[in-house]
Amino acid sequence: MNGADSAGNPRGRRSRSVIRAVRTFLGGRLQPAAVVIEDGRIADVVGPLDPVLDARAVQVPDDAVLLPGLVDSHVHVNEPGRTEWEGFRSATLAAAAGGITTLVDMPLNSIPPTTTVANLAVKRRAAAPSAYIDVGFWGGAVPENLGRLAPLHEAGVFGFKCFLAPSGVDEFGHLDRRQLDAAMEEVAALGSRLIVHAEDPALLTGDGELGRKYAAFLASRPPASEESAIDAVIAAARRTGGRAHILHLSNAGALPAIRAAKAAGLALTVETCPHYLTIAAEDIPDGAGEFKCCPPIREAANADLLWEAVVDGTIDAIVSDHSPSTLDLKRSGDGDFGLMWGGIAGLQVGLSAVWTEARRRGIPLEQILPLFTTGPARVAGLADAGEIAVGAPAHLTVFGDDDPLPVRADDLLHRNPVSAYDGKLLTGRVRRTWLRGVSMFDADEGGPGDAPRLRGRVRGELLVAPVPRSAHRS
């Protein structure tokens, strides 16, 4: 029989391997185990010394941890239309280098946005020849498509993103409070989820020039804006019974309302991002566009409260909100925070950044790992991602939790060499990543792994792309 199976092996020839580690993240804790892989899926999980016949063996060094492939449910790939900002090839290579094996692409800033079935097809066609990991898509809820979300839902989007304040791009409009309620009703009827950029435009100030001082930008997007918008989302979820998700929480002042909503049984989840947990407003230099994002990075005391919410389980996921742009856009307006593009490029280093700070705070690795794996998988409704379990795809990564990681923006695989982590020395480095048992990234080899072809999936469609000879930015 000609062709290849779902793992890329010649049909009729079974592929069997075993990865052994003294520390494997299983069942919420680190323990010795051996993961048996057959034809791209996890066939068994056994003791670290148990014999496995006819299997190619890989031994994870004792100073590293075997993890499930990470999941990032909040990534702006920007292709097509603004591919010079990022693209499926560069984004998914950077993701694999950061241990991520599944990402869900946001419905903007690409042109067209993912707000119709036809536009979703355009995005899938763009991803198909270029994605090196599994890719899914969020749909967009905008004023123009309210009442007509069902076709996108049936076409396979994971849910619908909306903004309650201007998005920053003309082709993706924001919803007012009446439209928010309508979107929640529609999404609830579909059994889907609404994911919300929660800022109240009535409480935002300073449209246009703000100057080079970060404090002026921070004051223009006050905590009250997030609190007001989150209150509106909670009220809409309570009225409709729909599932709602708060994107990129930056303001810890909204946590009491979120905790109360969860305690009341509302179907509410919330994420935050590495930059809100690891960078403080007090440390951001004048005119440093790499730190601008919306909602903004706030003060160190605020980060302390976000960390409390990470530890107590209020926060469900830590995701990148990778939203890069070109150098020119990041440096526009001579460093004026009101004029430069907002967005953090952190796809490749998120786990390392958060682990560095968690370790400093005395928080064990196994406590943060669910927020990078099963947490974002559940936010997106991914049933078989983010865990090492029999029957799941063999998406795995090796993390050297004591390894130093000096970050240089020029060395990252993101398309544009801009990073809020440039020049930082982090602790923890992804050494290797497998997708369906195939090596996608090997740091010791300087980039992509040793497989003859790389594979990712877009909602079940097998992607096949040649391995680049180097991992340089494309």
Side-chain angles (χ1 to χ4, degrees):
M1 183 180 295
N2 296 326
D5 64 19
S6 62
N9 307 298
R11 292 193 188 279
R13 184 184 305 166
R14 297 181 65 81
S15 170
R16 185 174 171 88
S17 60
V18 58
I19 302 175
R20 302 179 185 275
V22 297
R23 289 187 296 158
T24 303
F25 186 62
L26 283 171
R29 63 189 182 93
L30 299 177
Q31 54 186 301
V35 179
V36 182
I37 301 168
E38 286 186 2
D39 297 335
R41 289 194 170 269
I42 297 174
D44 205 355
V45 180
V46 299
L49 300 179
D50 289 359
V52 179
L53 300 178
D54 300 322
R56 181 172 62 89
V58 175
Q59 180 66 51
V60 174
D62 291 356
D63 64 346
V65 189
L66 181 63
L67 307 178
L70 310 185
V71 179
D72 194 333
S73 55
H74 193 151
V75 179
H76 295 265
V77 177
N78 305 326
E79 185 178 4
R82 294 190 175 97
T83 311
E84 69 275 14
W85 296 13
E86 193 63 278
F88 283 103
R89 182 180 186 276
S90 53
T92 56
L93 281 173
I100 298 163
T101 53
T102 304
L103 68 79
V104 189
D105 176 53
M106 283 291 160
L108 74 164
N109 301 305
S110 59
I111 302 173
T114 315
T115 52
T116 68
V117 173
N119 292 357
L120 174 62
V122 171
K123 293 292 286 289
R124 283 178 166 156
R125 286 196 298 271
S130 303
Y132 289 83
I133 64 169
D134 284 5
V135 174
F137 299 95
W138 294 109
V142 294
E144 294 80 10
N145 71 354
L146 293 184
R148 301 188 301 277
L149 299 179
L152 264 175
H153 174 69
E154 293 164 1
V157 297
F158 287 102
F160 297 89
K161 179 177 184 176
C162 70
F163 278 74
L164 301 186
S167 70
V169 293
D170 293 339
E171 65 274 4
F172 200 97
H174 67 286
L175 305 184
D176 61 25
R177 296 298 173 88
R178 179 187 59 80
Q179 292 166 332
L180 168 66
D181 286 347
M184 277 296 302
E185 289 178 3
E186 188 174 2
V187 167
L190 292 171
S192 185
R193 54 184 56 77
L194 191 69
I195 66 172
V196 186
H197 181 122
E199 290 183 286
D200 185 341
L203 298 174
L204 302 179
T205 62
D207 184 17
E209 295 182 5
L210 290 172
R212 293 174 53 84
K213 296 290 185 183
Y214 183 76
F217 170 66
L218 185 59
S220 76
R221 305 188 89 91
S225 174
E226 275 190 271
E227 292 165 26
S228 173
I230 289 171
D231 286 345
V233 174
I234 291 171
R238 182 177 290 112
R239 281 193 298 271
T240 64
R243 285 184 286 176
H245 177 68
I246 304 300
L247 296 165
H248 44 47
L249 178 72
S250 83
N251 171 31
L255 287 168
I258 291 168
R259 290 187 174 108
K262 288 188 166 196
L266 270 64
L268 180 72
T269 51
V270 60
E271 70 186 35
T272 193
C273 304
H275 40 280
Y276 300 130
L277 296 170
T278 65
I279 301 171
E282 296 92 331
D283 299 327
I284 296 177
D286 294 349
E290 61 268 31
F291 296 97
K292 180 184 176 181
C293 58
C294 299
I297 295 168
R298 303 192 187 278
E299 297 85 355
N302 179 81
D304 290 340
L305 296 175
L306 290 178
W307 272 105
E308 289 181 10
V310 166
V311 171
D312 71 19
T314 302
I315 290 174
D316 299 276
I318 300 174
V319 293
S320 68
D321 188 11
H322 180 68
S323 186
S325 70
T326 62
L327 277 170
D328 287 346
L329 285 172
K330 270 299 185 184
R331 294 172 177 170
S332 60
D334 192 28
D336 188 306
F337 274 99
L339 300 178
M340 64 181 74
W341 176 258
I344 301 289
L347 185 61
Q348 189 171 332
V349 296
L351 176 61
S352 300
V354 173
W355 168 232
T356 300
E357 182 62 17
R359 182 174 178 165
R360 187 185 72 83
R361 292 171 180 264
I363 299 170
L365 179 63
E366 53 266 40
Q367 190 158 9
I368 65 168
L369 287 175
L371 285 90
F372 286 91
T373 54
T374 51
R378 288 170 183 156
V379 164
L382 287 159
D384 59 355
E387 59 183 338
I388 298 174
V390 174
H395 296 351
L396 300 162
T397 192
V398 173
F399 185 64
D401 53 327
D402 284 329
D403 293 357
L405 179 65
V407 180
R408 293 183 67 252
D410 284 340
D411 294 339
L412 298 175
L413 302 183
H414 312 151
R415 173 155 294 176
N416 289 282
V418 182
S419 173
Y421 302 99
D422 187 32
K424 293 185 180 296
L425 178 61
L426 304 178
T427 299
R429 176 179 65 105
V430 170
R431 297 185 187 177
R432 195 168 183 185
T433 301
W434 291 271
L435 191 80
R436 293 181 187 81
V438 177
S439 182
M440 294 290 103
F441 173 80
D442 189 334
D444 292 334
E445 297 295 329
D450 55 5
R453 300 176 76 80
L454 296 178
R455 296 151 184 87
R457 288 181 187 266
V458 175
R459 296 294 293 171
E461 300 171 11
L462 184 64
L463 305 180
V464 182
V467 171
R469 299 310 303 168
S470 69
H472 292 307
R473 191 177 296 111
S474 66

